[in-house]
Amino acid sequence: VIEYDFTADKLNLPEFECPDNYTPKAYIEKLCLDRLEEIQYKITNPFQYVDRLYEELDVIDDLGFSSYFLIMKDIVDHVVESGYLVGYGRGSASGCLVAYLLGITRTDPIKYGLLFARFLSYERKGSTPDIDLDFESGEGRDCAFNYTLNKYGADHCAAVSTFSIRKA
């Protein structure tokens, strides 16, 4: 008989170790502002991006997901640096400017009029943001999984998959 006391009143997310004594919130802000500076020549209204960025950063931090976003960025960066392809990001995460600026997704949500509130809002408190990532088949997925498992620990990882059968 196995007994397990599962407490679901809080998420058990690992804390991202930021460089130079940054807090996760301050580090995300720095990374996003650095990226905005890099792409400023492509943006027609930079104030719109800055306003939206700070709105999103407040929600992300208030809901306790700053480290989660940095971890997702870390995983994507590792897979890309290892030479594997990563998809553009899909689902409601494509509406997140922070995810776009961090390189987690590749679609500019402001340019395409995508809504952040469909991805994360105070009304959805208690649920983890759903960031769907596609990695190159086989070795790319293995790279992401093994890196995550080794860096963040088995107690913070789970393999999730879907299986479907199509019939004529």
Side-chain angles (χ1 to χ4, degrees):
V1 174
I2 296 174
E3 289 186 34
Y4 181 73
D5 180 24
F6 182 76
T7 306
D9 59 343
K10 72 176 197 109
L11 294 170
N12 184 22
L13 297 173
E15 190 71 24
F16 183 82
E17 293 183 27
C18 299
D20 302 325
N21 296 319
Y22 277 100
T23 64
K25 180 182 181 180
Y27 192 51
I28 286 179
E29 179 181 358
K30 177 207 178 317
L31 293 172
C32 288
L33 290 173
D34 288 351
R35 181 67 179 137
L36 267 178
E37 189 175 320
E38 290 174 16
I39 64 170
Q40 66 182 331
Y41 65 92
K42 297 181 187 179
I43 299 171
T44 55
N45 184 353
F47 297 109
Q48 182 182 18
Y49 282 75
V50 172
D51 288 346
R52 168 98 171 244
L53 172 63
Y54 282 104
E55 288 174 22
E56 290 188 14
L57 287 173
D58 286 343
V59 172
I60 290 166
D61 190 63
D62 288 349
L63 294 177
F65 294 120
S66 295
S67 279
Y68 175 73
F69 275 79
L70 290 167
I71 289 167
M72 296 303 289
K73 174 185 175 29
D74 181 43
I75 295 166
V76 169
D77 287 351
H78 176 76
V79 172
V80 169
E81 289 166 7
S82 297
Y84 299 106
L85 299 175
V86 178
Y88 275 72
R90 57 189 164 88
S92 61
S94 294
C96 180
L97 180 63
V98 170
Y100 170 66
L101 294 174
L102 291 176
I104 297 168
T105 62
R106 308 278 191 275
T107 304
D108 181 340
I110 293 178
K111 180 178 180 181
Y112 295 102
L114 303 175
L115 303 174
F116 175 68
R118 293 215 50 230
F119 170 63
L120 187 62
S121 68
Y122 291 113
E123 290 77 30
R124 297 187 63 198
K125 189 172 188 171
S127 63
T128 307
D130 185 15
I131 299 176
D132 298 316
L133 297 173
D134 294 309
F135 298 108
E136 187 174 341
S137 295
E139 291 180 13
R141 278 195 300 257
D142 290 345
C143 177
F145 182 77
N146 291 329
Y147 178 75
T148 305
L149 189 64
N150 290 328
K151 182 160 184 181
Y152 298 103
D155 55 335
H156 291 107
C157 299
V160 179
S161 63
T162 59
F163 180 77
S164 64
I165 297 175
R166 296 178 189 226
K167 295 183 179 180

